[in-house]
Every structure is written in C-alpha cells, then in structure tokens.
C-alpha cells in the first residue's frame, strides 16, 4: 500500500467551549492508503487532553510507512495491531490507519463496514446534539438551532451550570444528557449537581469528576438517581472491570481508542461486563464520524454530531433523519470527498 498524508485546518461554525477550554478551529491529519487503484481513507482528530499534537501525529504516521508499504488492506487486523504497537499513545493516528485499512478492504470486497460488523443499519440509535458552554442567552440560541434532534447533550463543569440548564429548559423539554468533562472537583459537589439534574429531565451524566478518581465516582454513584458514564476514564489501556463499580456505562470514541477495531473490542467487553455503551466522537469531519457510525447499531447511546460543528465539512457520509443516524451503503466507510 502507498501512504499519502495530508494535514488540514478546519474552521468551526461557532467557538466551541467545554470545561477544558475554547476552540475556534481544529487541525487534522488525513490518511490515504492506496492499493491496486483502491483508496482507503482515514482521519486523525487529535486531542491535547491525551497528550497528542498535530506534529506528533504526523511524525507517528510517517513512521508507519515501512510497515504499511508491505501490507494489504485485507490484513487490517494484524496490520492495525502492529501499527498500534509501534508506540504508546498517538491513538488518533492509529485510528486513522485503522479506518483507512477497513475502508480499503471494504471497497475491495464491495462490502459496507456495518455489514461486515453484522450491524443492522436500521438499529442505529438517534444521536444527541451537543450544546457547548456559553452564556445562558447563547445557550438558548444554540438550543433553537438544534433542529429536530430528539436528545441534547449539554456541556457543563465550568461554573454557572444550573443557569445553563435553566436556559435550555426555557426553550425545550427534550431529554438531556450532561457531560461535565471532569469539571466538578469533589464528590459532594458532583452528587449535589447530579441530584439537581435528575429533577430536570436529564437522563445521564458523563465524567462527573477528573479521571482516575474511581472511589469518589463510586461514592457519587451510590447516591445518584442517574446513570454515570465514563469518558476521560476510558482509554485504550483501561481495565474495564475496574470501572464497573464506579460507572454504569462507558463512552467509546474511535479516535481516542485507536480505531474501529479497538472500539469494537471495548464495546463487546463492556457488554460482557454489564456496562452500557455510548459511542462518542471528537470534533471531526464526516470521515471520522461515519467510521464510528458504522458501530452505532451495536450501542445504546450515540453522540456522533462532531461534524456538524465544522463550517466546511470536507466529506459526506452518515446523514441524520430527525437525529437518527442514516448509514451510507457504499462499500467500506461509504464516505466521499465533497
Ligand atoms: Mg465526554
């Protein structure tokens, strides 16, 4: 296979704020693996939260050339695992290679990825639509822009959380999910917020406390009327059995765990352990979002709206019908450049 690597800066529609900070644009590395005229595509949406940078991602991908040159897409499992073993971290880059391998193999075989997974596209859940951290006035405006998405995911954890939820409730009575992004600092605060949220039509709370505070999360969970979902506590190195006492579910992101195949392994392990599963995303184009969407029929909750935050999405793939994910039926990822 021949590796082609490009980088691209994409502007966001609006500044995007979560508990950790604000972004106005994102930078991506895109991977193309060409073999016998077939081109598999992948996207690396890096995340500084996990120690990734665009330069680091590009260096890592350059280092995969010798391994990929000798490989063919149908060996996606072993090649993907070898790439993942090259260095610790760099999961966004590993995910890009994994996507490109699966896309190339699917195109060669003429099979859409969800069909290889045995996933019924009609069973994909509706995705939530994310509302970032803004003033109550802007939050009201964003909720009005949410169109017909049936569930909203509200980012909290940066102070004034209750004012923002009240702003959302002035506009809609739709069910809400809440993501604190590690923003609450102690277990008493977290338990108090969760209890308050439970009376306001919130159906789950994601990552209430900083990662690696499982004992504190377990304490909150004992008092929580709502399911708690781990996100920053879920990394490729996670030992899922250790999360079962603290959390009811996990948020699996393809870019964070190093690809579609590692995500599938986590989903299956989570089910085995009785953990519920959300499929999440970074702010990424329709290439990365669609790769994840093929897994959506296998999970309970989807949060796959990252491409909607971009001003100019360079790809076309999964679409939305009143929030329900409509998977493309072309071979591989079924994604086309716009
Ligand atoms: Mg999250």
């Amino acid at each position: 296979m021949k590796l082609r690597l490009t980088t691209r800066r994409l502007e966001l529609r609006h500044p995007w704020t979560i508990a950790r900070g604000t972004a106005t644009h994102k930078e991506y590395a895109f991977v193309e693996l060409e073999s016998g005229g077939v081109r598999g595509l992948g996207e690396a949406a890096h995340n500084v939260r996990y120690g990734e940078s665009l330069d680091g991602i590009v260096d890592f991908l350059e280092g995969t050339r010798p391994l990929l040159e000798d490989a063919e897409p149908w060996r996606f499992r072993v090649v993907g695992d070898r790439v993942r073993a090259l260095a610790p971290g760099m999961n966004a880059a590993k995910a890009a290679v994994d996507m490109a391998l699966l896309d190339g193999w699917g195109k060669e075989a003429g099979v859409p990825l969800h069909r290889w997974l045995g996933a019924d596209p009609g069973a994909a859940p509706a995705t939530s639509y994310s509302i970032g951290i803004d003033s109550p006035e802007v939050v009201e405006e964003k909720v009005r822009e949410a169109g017909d998405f049936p569930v909203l995911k509200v980012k909290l954890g940066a102070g004034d959380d209750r004012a923002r939820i009240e702003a959302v409730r002035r506009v809609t009575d739709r069910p809400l999910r809440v993501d604190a992004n590690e923003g609450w600092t102690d277990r008493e605060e977290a338990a108090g917020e969760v209890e308050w949220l439970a009376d306001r039509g919130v159906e789950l709370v994601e990552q209430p406390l900083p990662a690696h505070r499982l004992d504190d999360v377990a304490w909150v969970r004992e008092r929580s009327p709502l399911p708690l979902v781990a996100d920053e506590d879920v990394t490729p190195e996670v030992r899922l059995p250790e999360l079962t006492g603290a959390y009811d579910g996990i948020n699996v992101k393809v870019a964070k765990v190093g690809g579609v195949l590692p995500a599938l392994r986590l989903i299956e392990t989570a089910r085995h352990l009785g953990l519920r599963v959300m499929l999440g995303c970074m702010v990424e184009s329709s290439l990365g979002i669609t790769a994840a969407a093929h897994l959506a029929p296998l999970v309970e909750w989807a949060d796959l709206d990252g491409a909607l935050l971009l001003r100019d999405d360079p790809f076309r793939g999964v679409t939305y019908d009143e929030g329900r994910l409509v998977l493309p039926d072309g071979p591989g990822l079924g994604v086309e450049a716009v």
Side-chain angles (χ1 to χ4, degrees):
M1 290 184 297
K2 197 167 174 187
L3 168 68
R4 279 192 207 93
L5 202 51
T6 52
T7 60
R8 189 160 170 185
R9 172 186 162 126
L10 297 175
E11 303 298 323
L12 304 191
R13 226 178 260 276
H14 304 286
W16 173 245
T17 301
I18 65 169
R20 277 190 285 282
T22 299
T24 56
H25 68 275
K26 297 271 182 181
E27 290 174 307
Y28 300 87
F30 292 102
V31 163
E32 187 186 288
L33 289 175
E34 198 252 299
S35 168
V38 174
R39 291 185 295 181
L41 306 175
E43 169 173 1
H46 72 275
N47 192 326
V48 293
R49 165 66 179 78
Y50 301 104
E52 297 172 340
S53 66
L54 184 67
D55 287 347
I57 292 289
V58 168
D59 285 349
F60 177 87
L61 288 169
E62 287 293 351
T64 65
R65 276 185 197 280
L67 210 160
L68 294 173
E69 264 166 20
D70 291 336
E72 291 173 80
W74 67 268
R75 295 172 63 219
F76 55 83
R77 188 178 290 272
V78 65
V79 176
D81 282 345
R82 280 185 192 154
V83 166
R84 282 182 282 273
L86 283 175
M90 297 298 149
N91 290 296
K94 294 168 183 176
V97 173
D98 178 274
M99 282 177 215
L101 287 166
L102 286 168
D103 189 36
W105 172 80
K107 283 172 175 162
E108 272 182 14
V111 176
L113 179 56
H114 60 263
R115 200 169 286 191
W116 175 73
L117 293 163
D120 175 2
T127 178
S128 50
Y129 181 90
S130 300
I131 307 289
I133 291 175
D134 276 295
S135 67
E137 296 72 35
V138 177
V139 165
E140 285 188 39
E141 209 179 297
K142 297 262 176 82
V143 173
R144 284 192 200 97
E145 284 174 18
D148 52 12
F149 284 81
V151 187
L152 303 180
K153 176 159 147 178
V154 185
K155 295 287 196 177
L156 296 182
D160 285 338
D161 288 343
R162 295 186 180 192
R164 272 192 300 280
I165 292 293
E166 281 161 355
V168 173
R169 279 289 170 247
R170 281 197 285 277
V171 182
T172 183
D173 57 3
R174 271 175 273 192
L176 306 179
R177 296 170 190 163
V178 156
D179 188 355
N181 282 114
E182 312 179 280
W184 297 325
T185 47
D186 65 57
R187 62 189 197 176
E188 285 81 9
E189 179 191 15
E193 292 307 299
V194 171
E195 199 179 335
W196 186 85
L197 291 165
D199 289 334
R200 280 152 187 87
V202 171
E203 57 181 33
L204 63 83
V205 173
E206 209 175 300
Q207 198 69 40
L209 290 168
H212 315 299
R213 300 252 308 261
L214 297 182
D215 290 345
D216 286 335
V217 180
W219 186 92
V220 175
R221 185 179 175 220
E222 274 171 34
R223 290 152 182 82
S224 173
L226 299 178
L228 302 182
V229 177
D231 181 1
E232 284 83 350
D233 261 320
V234 181
T235 61
E237 300 77 30
V238 69
R239 293 173 185 276
L240 281 187
E242 290 174 7
L243 298 190
T244 54
Y247 291 103
D248 301 281
I250 62 168
N251 184 343
V252 176
K253 297 175 181 169
V254 167
K256 188 177 70 173
V257 302
V260 172
L261 280 183
L264 178 64
R265 290 169 190 155
L266 277 173
I267 290 167
E268 291 179 338
T269 308
R271 289 185 153 219
H272 180 69
L273 292 167
L275 287 163
R276 299 158 84 178
V277 181
M278 174 188 291
L279 201 57
C281 62
M282 306 298 179
V283 178
E284 50 196 313
S285 82
S286 280
L287 174 53
I289 297 293
T290 304
H294 285 279
L295 292 162
L298 308 178
V299 306
E300 185 169 353
W301 302 301
D303 177 32
L304 294 175
D305 64 337
L308 301 175
L309 300 175
L310 296 175
R311 189 177 296 163
D312 295 304
D313 185 350
F315 293 96
R316 186 171 39 228
V318 68
T319 56
Y320 306 91
D321 176 15
E322 296 183 0
R324 198 178 61 80
L325 296 162
V326 181
L327 302 184
D329 52 16
L333 300 180
V335 170
E336 288 168 19
V338 173

